[in-house]
């Protein structure tokens, strides 16, 4: 009888220990999360990685809602969504609703200074026409070379409505007096760049906006195929003023000048989350603070998507492969997140 009682006590103790261990290993167990995701697919990889990390911490993470920037920032401040991994700051500052930082905050750095943006032109045509800046597109011979629809303007592969870059490009068209000279084409970006790439391969000109990380500068390499060009002078939007000193950069490979005036702030890519959510979920907050990626890893994955591996199943596999290659770092992030919940 005594042996049975002792055995039962041991089993009960082991069950409690096991239960406590499971609870500490999965501090998010029983909590459902609603992430959002940006409308550009070059940000899908980091969303998938963060989701997998949170799931390992025990959270049930719903399918992300694909939202435009302004809608996301309003939604996260209201608590309708919990977080996303696609904040670009200070580029997105102008799209935040009033009182945003009372309800939400930026956490950590997915890629610090990873958001390089600007205009690129096919090197062949840079050399042929001596193109140095957007001002050169006021010249008749340059406009004619880049005019695809015979409207008398050079066609620029630009940003879809709702993207932060769309507003900056519109600002450039205004302040540099380019509205009668350049036509920003606002079709879906991936389709627009696919058409630009196809035209380039046929010997045609390329004139497009892009950013890093992105597959575009793997397919059209700066310095070899295309060149970063200048804006005429640095004239920031009000929302860019805080990052004015990050709008002119030295050491950019494939730029027509050094330094080059990009016209865009080099942004930090950051996670943005609702403050109440973060306060209730210290494990998730710690994971957000630690999660970071090399820019080259995102570019590599973006290129795989452009080559056809772009289904959600593919993206999830890319995330699993990245975790396997970086298991020690990944485990360290998770352990720190678990410790933060104790």
């Amino acid at each position: 009888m005594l042996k049975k009682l002792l055995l039962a006590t041991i089993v009960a103790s082991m069950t409690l220990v096991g239960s406590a261990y499971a609870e500490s290993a999965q501090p998010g167990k029983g909590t459902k999360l609603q992430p959002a995701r940006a409308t550009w697919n070059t940000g899908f990889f980091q969303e998938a990685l963060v989701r997998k990390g949170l799931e390992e911490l025990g959270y049930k993470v719903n399918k992300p809602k694909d939202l435009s920037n302004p809608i996301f920032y309003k939604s996260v401040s209201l608590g309708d969504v919990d977080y996303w991994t696609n904040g670009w700051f200070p580029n997105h500052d102008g799209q935040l609703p009033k009182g945003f930082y009372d309800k939400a905050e930026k956490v950590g750095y997915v890629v610090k200074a990873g958001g390089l943006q600007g205009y690129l032109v096919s090197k062949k045509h840079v050399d042929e026409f001596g193109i140095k800046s957007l001002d050169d597109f006021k010249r008749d011979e340059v406009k004619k070379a880049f005019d695809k629809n015979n409207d008398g303007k050079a066609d620029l592969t630009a940003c879809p409505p709702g993207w932060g870059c769309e507003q900056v490009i519109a600002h450039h068209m205004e302040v540099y007096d380019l509205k009668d000279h350049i036509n920003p084409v606002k079709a879906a970006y991936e389709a627009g760049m696919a058409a630009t790439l196809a035209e380039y391969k046929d010997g045609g000109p390329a004139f497009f906006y892009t950013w890093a990380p992105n597959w575009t500068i793997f397919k059209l390499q700066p310095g070899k195929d295309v060149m970063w060009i200048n804006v005429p002078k640095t004239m920031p939007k009000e929302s860019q003023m805080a990052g004015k000193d990050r709008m002119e950069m030295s050491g950019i490979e494939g730029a027509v000048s050094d330094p080059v005036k990009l016209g865009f702030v080099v942004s930090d890519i950051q996670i943005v989350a609702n403050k109440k959510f973060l306060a209730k979920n210290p494990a998730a907050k710690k994971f957000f603070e630690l999660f970071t990626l090399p820019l080259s890893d995102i570019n590599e994955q973006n290129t795989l998507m452009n080559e056809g591996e772009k289904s959600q199943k593919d993206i999830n596999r890319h995330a699993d492969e990245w975790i396997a290659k970086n298991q020690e770092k990944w485990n360290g992030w998770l352990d720190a997140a678990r410790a933060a919940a104790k």
Side-chain angles (χ1 to χ4, degrees):
M1 183 70 180
L2 184 61
K3 285 183 178 180
K4 286 184 179 180
L5 183 60
L6 182 61
L7 181 61
T9 302
I10 292 172
V11 170
S13 297
M14 290 177 66
T15 301
L16 286 171
V17 169
S19 176
Y21 175 78
E23 187 175 330
S24 64
Q26 294 197 314
K29 190 172 182 180
T31 301
K32 292 183 180 180
L33 306 183
Q34 181 57 66
R37 188 173 69 172
T39 53
W40 61 88
N41 68 4
T42 55
F44 289 3
F45 180 50
Q46 47 265 44
E47 186 282 323
L49 279 167
V50 168
R51 179 160 31 89
K52 286 180 179 293
L54 294 173
E55 287 171 347
E56 286 198 48
L57 292 170
Y59 292 100
K60 178 175 174 53
V61 187
N62 293 334
K63 180 180 177 181
K65 294 182 178 180
D66 291 349
L67 301 176
S68 67
N69 304 344
I71 299 299
F72 164 73
Y73 290 117
K74 184 174 182 179
S75 298
V76 75
S77 63
L78 293 172
D80 294 338
V81 296
D82 296 312
Y83 71 92
W84 80 350
T85 65
N86 302 124
W88 277 49
F89 294 96
N91 188 46
H92 287 177
D93 280 341
Q95 301 178 60
L96 304 181
K98 187 177 180 180
F100 175 78
Y101 287 111
D102 294 333
K103 302 291 183 64
E105 64 182 87
K106 298 174 282 191
V107 191
Y109 293 91
V110 177
V111 191
K112 191 169 179 62
L116 181 69
Q117 303 176 76
Y119 301 102
L120 292 112
V121 176
S122 41
K123 187 177 187 302
K124 171 185 173 182
H125 296 86
V126 165
D127 294 341
E128 181 180 349
F129 295 107
I131 297 171
K132 297 293 183 184
S133 84
L134 290 178
D135 250 356
D136 288 303
F137 286 87
K138 293 178 179 178
R139 292 156 44 198
D140 289 340
E141 67 273 21
V142 177
K143 283 190 286 188
K144 184 177 180 180
F146 289 83
D147 185 2
K148 301 173 186 177
N149 61 0
N150 298 315
D151 66 352
K153 300 179 184 180
D155 290 302
L156 164 69
T157 302
C159 297
W163 289 18
C165 48
E166 181 210 10
Q167 297 179 14
V168 179
I169 292 171
H171 172 71
H172 291 165
M173 297 301 105
E174 181 74 35
V175 298
Y176 304 132
D177 193 26
L178 293 166
K179 289 184 175 181
D180 293 333
H181 308 285
I182 294 176
N183 172 39
V185 180
K186 300 181 182 182
Y189 186 79
E190 188 173 0
M193 278 308 304
T196 297
L197 179 61
E199 289 162 3
Y200 175 83
K201 287 182 175 180
D202 287 339
F207 178 29
F208 61 97
Y209 158 88
T210 200
W211 68 94
N214 204 318
W215 62 268
T216 57
I217 48 179
F218 273 72
K219 294 291 188 179
L220 293 172
Q221 296 181 18
K224 177 185 175 184
D225 304 308
V226 292
M227 302 291 289
W228 295 98
I229 67 169
N230 291 279
V231 294
K233 60 181 179 179
T234 299
M235 297 177 66
K237 282 170 57 72
E238 184 178 346
S239 62
Q240 295 176 308
M241 286 300 295
K244 184 178 178 181
D245 60 343
R246 301 173 71 174
M247 296 178 73
E248 186 171 329
M249 296 289 290
S250 296
I252 301 297
E253 185 176 357
V256 295
S257 63
D258 189 26
V260 59
K261 294 186 285 289
L262 294 166
F264 294 85
V265 176
V266 177
S267 291
D268 297 319
I269 303 174
Q270 297 181 268
I271 293 172
V272 181
N274 178 273
K275 279 188 173 182
K276 287 184 178 179
F277 159 73
L278 292 173
K280 292 178 181 178
N281 295 278
K285 183 175 183 179
K286 177 57 69 173
F287 186 80
F288 291 166
E289 289 172 348
L290 297 174
F291 178 78
T292 186
L293 290 171
L295 187 60
S296 58
D297 288 4
I298 304 176
N299 284 335
E300 181 180 1
Q301 189 274 341
N302 287 177
T303 303
L304 292 174
M305 286 197 300
N306 179 253
E307 291 173 348
E309 297 181 24
K310 57 185 178 181
S311 70
Q312 190 59 53
K313 184 177 179 180
D314 289 329
I315 295 166
N316 289 339
R317 187 183 73 254
H318 299 157
D320 287 336
E321 290 169 352
W322 188 92
I323 292 168
K325 289 178 184 176
N326 298 273
Q327 196 69 60
E328 185 176 350
K329 180 191 294 183
W330 183 258
N331 290 344
W333 294 343
L334 293 174
D335 288 343
R338 291 172 183 129
K342 292 179 179 177

